[in-house]
Amino acid sequence: EPEVTQTPSHQVTQMGQEVILRCVPISNHLYFYWYRQILGQKVEFLVSFYNNEISEKSEIFDDQFSVERPDGSNFTLKIRSTKLEDSAMYFCASRPGNEKLFFGSGTQLSVL
Amino acid sequence: LAKTTQPISMDSYEGQEVNITCSHNNIATNDYITWYQQFPSQGPRFIIQGYKTKVTNEVASLFIPADRKSSTLSLPRVSLSDTAVYYCLVGGDTGRRALTFGSGTRLQVQP
């Protein structure tokens, strides 16, 4: 079965630094998402992306966050100035249409 | 977005059938109902999706009553490896809309 690929699997950064989390969605999918999960909590929606623009974003997705699809394959999430509370597992997901979401294995972000 | 309500946790034993019910009272006409499974430190994994009545695949069944205000995920003969968190999601008539996770149900299967 095709997979969503995320890199790196772990990222450690200092507070205030910028991080970029990378994702390669499944090639024929049209809709892309970022979710995050703080340890022990539920999966939280951050942003959805379609046709090279943001479709929907949550309250969490403030001005410190941005997403890009710089080429035909990569989908990135940038956090400009990380805070301690940004520490979480970040999941990328994609879907072809109104079908199931395919999730990547996540990037564990630790902000020190 | 339709909000979902599930039990926080459930316990079962190997070989038993487990039924997890999700309430979604304000489901929209075009919404699908989808269930995901999540193991620790992994991304959620699709289990089953339905719109109405009953859907069955190789791992589970999904029962949806006529009013669609709830749904029940049925896992036949669970094993220890079914210990996970199970999420019910409602939505997705178009990929543009976000799919929002609820708190999920933590299923613990005992030997």
Side-chain angles (χ1 to χ4, degrees):
Chain A
E1 187 173 68
E3 290 183 344
V4 174
T5 306
Q6 289 187 243
T7 55
S9 57
H10 293 84
Q11 175 88 50
V12 181
T13 190
Q14 297 290 325
M15 190 170 56
Q17 295 295 306
E18 174 184 285
V19 295
I20 298 176
L21 309 183
R22 303 181 190 281
C23 170
V24 179
I26 295 171
S27 62
N28 62 341
H29 286 189
L30 302 175
Y31 304 94
F32 313 111
Y33 308 82
W34 283 100
Y35 288 83
R36 79 172 187 189
Q37 187 173 33
I38 295 170
L39 184 64
Q41 298 186 22
K42 68 178 184 180
V43 179
E44 298 176 293
F45 167 75
L46 292 179
V47 65
S48 60
F49 192 87
Y50 169 74
N51 201 26
N52 288 319
E53 61 182 21
I54 291 174
S55 307
E56 195 169 347
K57 59 184 180 179
S58 72
E59 296 173 350
I60 302 168
F61 195 89
D62 61 21
D63 292 343
Q64 294 298 315
F65 291 87
S66 62
V67 289
E68 254 193 342
R69 190 158 160 80
D71 53 44
S73 59
N74 291 288
F75 180 50
T76 61
L77 174 69
K78 181 192 292 185
I79 309 175
R80 289 191 185 82
S81 179
T82 50
K83 303 186 286 285
L84 295 176
E85 53 265 38
D86 293 328
S87 295
M89 181 76 91
Y90 288 80
F91 293 109
C92 173
S94 69
R95 64 196 296 204
N98 65 345
E99 299 172 17
K100 63 182 180 180
L101 277 170
F102 290 78
F103 282 84
S105 54
T107 294
Q108 179 65 55
L109 176 65
S110 298
V111 182
L112 305 179
Chain B
L1 295 173
K3 183 181 175 184
T4 59
T5 304
Q6 305 174 232
I8 295 173
S9 63
M10 295 182 71
D11 293 308
S12 183
Y13 293 94
E14 281 192 293
Q16 289 190 332
E17 178 184 79
V18 171
N19 295 309
I20 306 174
T21 297
C22 178
S23 297
H24 27 81
N25 291 318
N26 58 340
I27 187 170
T29 303
N30 296 330
D31 285 343
Y32 287 81
I33 300 159
T34 313
W35 286 79
Y36 289 83
Q37 175 192 56
Q38 187 183 29
F39 298 113
S41 301
Q42 294 186 26
R45 188 171 68 104
F46 172 86
I47 302 174
I48 197 166
Q49 183 182 69
Y51 183 80
K52 61 180 179 180
T53 63
K54 177 184 174 182
V55 180
T56 297
N57 62 21
E58 62 275 9
V59 298
S61 294
L62 178 59
F63 298 92
I64 305 169
D67 66 7
R68 302 199 330 120
K69 293 184 184 299
S70 66
S71 59
T72 299
L73 173 72
S74 181
L75 304 173
R77 301 177 59 80
V78 293
S79 64
L80 295 177
S81 62
D82 292 318
T83 294
V85 179
Y86 292 83
Y87 295 96
C88 158
L89 276 71
V90 173
D93 60 306
T94 167
R96 288 189 184 87
R97 287 181 56 196
L99 283 175
T100 303
F101 284 76
S103 299
T105 297
R106 188 173 301 276
L107 174 65
Q108 180 70 49
V109 180
Q110 308 277 5

